[in-house]
Amino acid sequence: MAPGPIRTALKVDLDKPAHEQEYLHNRWHPDIPFAAKIVPGEAVKVECIDWTGGQIKNDDSADDVKNCDLSRVHYLSGPFEIEGAEPGDILVVEIQDVQPFDERPWGFTAVFDKKNGGGFLDEHYPQAAKAIWDFEGIFCSSRHIPHVRFPGLIHPGIMGCAPSPEILAEWTRRESELVEFNTLDRVVANLPEPKNIHAGTATGDLKAKIGAEGARTIPGRPEHGGNCDIKNLSRGSKTYLPVHVPGAKFSVGDLHFSQGDGEISFCGAIEMAGIITFKFSLMKGGIENLDMKSPIFIPGPVEPQFGPGRMLTFEGFSVDENGKQHYMDVTVAYRQTCFRVFEYLKRYGYSGGEFSLPASFYKK
């Protein structure tokens, strides 16, 4: 028998406020109600809004980035009940396809204001900036960054299963400790925040409980994955996620049209709304069998291709921009590598403010 059409397990409304859509959520918590059920082996489509819930508009002003309400993010689709999944299993997530909506063929990158989100280089680029990208098949281009056109590799930034109550408590403990002893002039962790909590169909006392306890979606965490932002997890990839609650409660969101190796401006991917096609399977008792401590990833056969195959490589060292020597500091070294790339690109007419994408994307 020929296979039928692929079922859409969750639909979103691009014209409706995110917090009014019942099958989205913006916190991790084991008590968020299921959005739908998926049977292992079944191919399904899942629709996703962009990570801000539609706060960023297709215009030429960066005021929406500057004033973006980060207590709302990320809006995820789910959680899904994976039939037969039990704590101790591994959920195998195979991505079969990812595409933007036909009616929303655009995305955005943004440099977030140092006082609202910031980023890896916010000491040097402290003000909000935005670039809108138009999609043409596999290619994208931007009116805000002239002379640049390249093929993207679409992928989800966030995939994860819900934490157990014990794991959720551990997240809060260690992140609270990080905040308590922080000596840096920046936010180092986002603790549970009831403001703008959205928990799917949860209402009343349950919604209040999720708001008081729910973990923010900003960081990735070893127990479940979450916000991993790995550009190679596109079509054909497999992700192995530990299951901690009955049904797994898998969620997905934060779709990217393209991204480099990380996001140096906090929002350095090309963010978009779109449709992702999955097929799931289970490894029963897999956590113990693999002695799994964190998710495992197998990239797909599709690789990003930038330019004609030539690549310049720059090296960073543990000496900062003020001439101070650090001891084997990978953060300082990576930051200095970014600056070397920027200095090179300035030779071709760029000022530096356009660098809302990793530099490997730029081709004059």
Side-chain angles (χ1 to χ4, degrees):
M1 180 183 297
I6 297 176
R7 177 174 72 92
T8 298
L10 186 147
K11 289 182 174 291
V12 299
D13 187 338
L14 298 177
D15 297 318
K16 186 176 182 180
H19 66 273
E20 295 180 6
Q21 300 192 47
E22 291 188 336
Y23 300 122
L24 302 176
H25 63 98
N26 60 9
R27 301 292 191 272
W28 292 111
H29 195 283
D31 294 337
I32 297 175
F34 287 118
K37 178 185 284 190
I38 299 173
V39 177
E42 175 191 18
V44 296
K45 294 182 179 181
V46 174
E47 297 184 356
C48 301
I49 62 175
D50 81 80
W51 71 287
T52 72
Q55 295 186 65
I56 308 304
K57 306 303 181 185
N58 186 351
D59 58 29
D60 300 329
S61 171
D63 288 347
D64 50 7
V65 175
K66 180 180 179 180
N67 301 318
C68 184
D69 189 343
L70 297 178
S71 68
R72 297 182 180 276
V73 302
H74 301 77
Y75 281 101
L76 306 178
S77 294
F80 295 97
E81 177 183 3
I82 309 300
E83 186 175 84
E86 294 293 336
D89 295 344
I90 290 175
L91 179 65
V92 184
V93 183
E94 179 183 294
I95 297 177
Q96 298 191 332
D97 196 15
V98 199
Q99 297 292 336
F101 287 104
D102 290 340
E103 63 270 33
R104 187 66 67 90
W106 62 272
F108 66 90
T109 52
V111 176
F112 270 69
D113 192 281
K114 186 175 186 292
K115 296 179 180 179
N116 185 37
F120 186 60
L121 302 177
D122 59 13
E123 293 292 335
H124 301 269
Y125 300 95
Q127 296 181 332
K130 180 176 75 178
I132 298 296
W133 295 86
D134 296 310
F135 306 148
E136 307 168 87
I138 67 170
F139 292 95
C140 64
S141 59
S142 172
R143 62 184 181 269
H144 297 119
I145 307 178
H147 314 298
V148 175
R149 184 174 185 263
F150 67 92
L153 183 61
I154 310 178
H155 61 277
I158 297 180
M159 295 187 292
C161 297
S164 65
E166 294 77 16
I167 289 174
L168 182 63
E170 170 61 13
W171 290 353
T172 301
R173 182 202 65 78
R174 69 189 186 212
E175 290 167 24
S176 297
E177 185 177 83
L178 178 63
V179 170
E180 180 181 358
F181 294 102
N182 174 39
T183 59
L184 303 174
D185 183 25
R186 63 172 59 245
V187 175
V188 294
N190 291 278
L191 300 179
E193 171 57 75
K195 178 184 176 183
N196 290 323
I197 169 69
H198 185 47
T201 57
T203 59
D205 291 343
L206 177 58
K207 184 176 181 179
K209 178 176 187 287
I210 294 169
E213 301 174 352
R216 301 300 305 279
T217 60
I218 295 294
R221 297 178 176 95
E223 293 87 352
H224 85 143
N227 193 15
C228 291
D229 284 342
I230 299 174
K231 71 178 188 299
N232 306 85
L233 298 182
S234 186
R235 290 170 293 163
S237 67
K238 288 186 177 181
T239 299
Y240 296 75
L241 296 171
V243 175
H244 301 294
V245 298
K249 291 198 169 182
F250 170 83
S251 298
V252 61
D254 188 25
L255 301 188
H256 298 162
F257 187 85
S258 191
Q259 183 195 286
D261 293 318
E263 294 182 281
I264 60 176
S265 66
F266 179 68
C267 186
I270 299 180
E271 310 287 347
M272 65 173 232
I275 307 167
I276 184 166
T277 305
F278 288 115
K279 182 177 284 188
F280 298 93
S281 60
L282 291 171
M283 296 176 60
K284 303 299 292 183
I287 293 179
E288 181 178 358
N289 291 339
L290 292 183
D291 193 23
M292 176 179 272
K293 299 296 191 297
S294 62
I296 297 171
F297 309 99
I298 300 179
V302 183
E303 287 291 326
Q305 300 291 326
F306 304 124
R310 296 180 298 160
M311 183 175 294
L312 290 175
T313 300
F314 296 82
E315 186 175 5
F317 299 89
S318 295
V319 179
D320 66 24
E321 57 270 23
N322 298 315
K324 180 180 179 180
Q325 179 75 55
H326 298 259
Y327 176 70
M328 298 181 67
D329 191 319
V330 68
T331 301
V332 171
Y334 188 73
R335 184 179 290 117
Q336 293 306 306
T337 303
C338 293
F339 291 147
R340 299 297 84 79
V341 175
F342 293 176
E343 290 157 6
Y344 177 83
L345 290 171
K346 287 179 181 179
R347 296 158 56 98
Y348 297 92
Y350 295 108
S351 66
E354 304 95 344
F355 304 138
S356 57
L357 279 175
S360 60
F361 287 168
Y362 287 92
K363 182 173 182 290
K364 184 74 171 177

